[in-house]
Each structure stands twice: as structure tokens, then as C-alpha cells.
Amino acid sequence: MYYPVPGQTHLSVLVPGQSQPRPQPRPVPRGTRPRGTEPRGASLVKVALDAAFGIRELRALQQARFDHSVRMHVAAKRRSEAAGPVRILSFHTRANGEVFGTAATKERKYGFAARIESGRLTSFKVL
């Protein structure tokens, strides 16, 4: 019996000796991630973005998790940007610890770039 290969629209696999069809898995909508599978470092970046746009206090950037240059950039960005909620639109990671993506406030979209080393945000810029 032929079964469709998950993630492929034109491929099927022949499984000999089975007569009962297997139940089809539920499709996951594009752009969504199963609950609880947050990308590595997303929580650090979210805290930094919230602090940069006035949602969190600067004290939330603990010295153990955020480098001095990150705290200075966030403090400077906070003075130049209007306060408001920010949400991450895209989030990409690379094997070397580089993180980048886009975030949006009510009126504008921003890019961000960061570097994470040993669970610590060592570099962060809002573009």
C-alpha cells in the first residue's frame, strides 16, 4: 500500500504487507511552531527587546545573562524609541550562536541581531 511521505506532496512510500491505511497526521499551519518549542535564545532576545521598548525595567537585564554592551545599547535605544509592546515576527539562529530577525511595534518594524554564547547574550543591536 502507498502512503504519503510527510512534508512531501508528490512522494509516496510502498509498504508491503499492510492492508490497513494508517491515520493521516494533522497538518500544522505554516509559520506556527508546536507549543513549548521556542528557539534557543528567543527568551533572552525577547527580554532585551521588551527592555529596549519600555515594557520591562532595565533591571531585568541581569549581569549574569546580559553583557555590559547589551545593557548599554538597550538603555540608549530606550531613550530614542517610543514605549510600547513589541512582538517578534521572525527569529533565525545559526550554529555559531548568531541570532537575527524582525520585531514589530504598533507603528514600525525593526530588525535585530544578536550573539549568544554559553546561554548569555553577548551582543545585541536593534536596527
Side-chain angles (χ1 to χ4, degrees), residues 55-117:
I55 300 300
R56 294 182 191 248
E57 293 293 324
L58 291 175
R59 291 177 290 181
L61 303 178
Q62 303 163 354
Q63 188 173 0
R65 296 175 63 200
F66 298 91
D67 198 49
H68 178 71
S69 64
V70 172
R71 294 193 310 270
M72 292 294 103
H73 176 74
V74 167
K77 196 68 171 171
R78 187 178 184 131
R79 287 189 294 268
S80 67
E81 297 297 333
V86 62
R87 63 188 172 96
I88 295 176
L89 298 178
S90 68
F91 190 87
H92 308 281
T93 59
R94 291 195 176 152
N96 63 357
E98 187 178 328
V99 175
F100 56 94
T102 57
T105 60
K106 218 175 196 182
E107 61 272 345
R108 281 186 64 186
K109 291 183 182 177
Y110 299 88
F112 63 85
R115 179 168 298 277
I116 299 172
E117 295 173 1

Side-chain angles (χ1 to χ4, degrees), residues 12-41:
S12 295
V13 176
L14 176 63
V15 181
Q18 291 186 355
S19 60
Q20 297 292 331
R22 286 190 238 165
Q24 296 293 324
R26 284 188 11 212
V28 177
R30 280 188 91 147
T32 61
R33 169 172 288 138
R35 193 172 285 203
T37 58
E38 184 176 270
R40 196 187 90 193

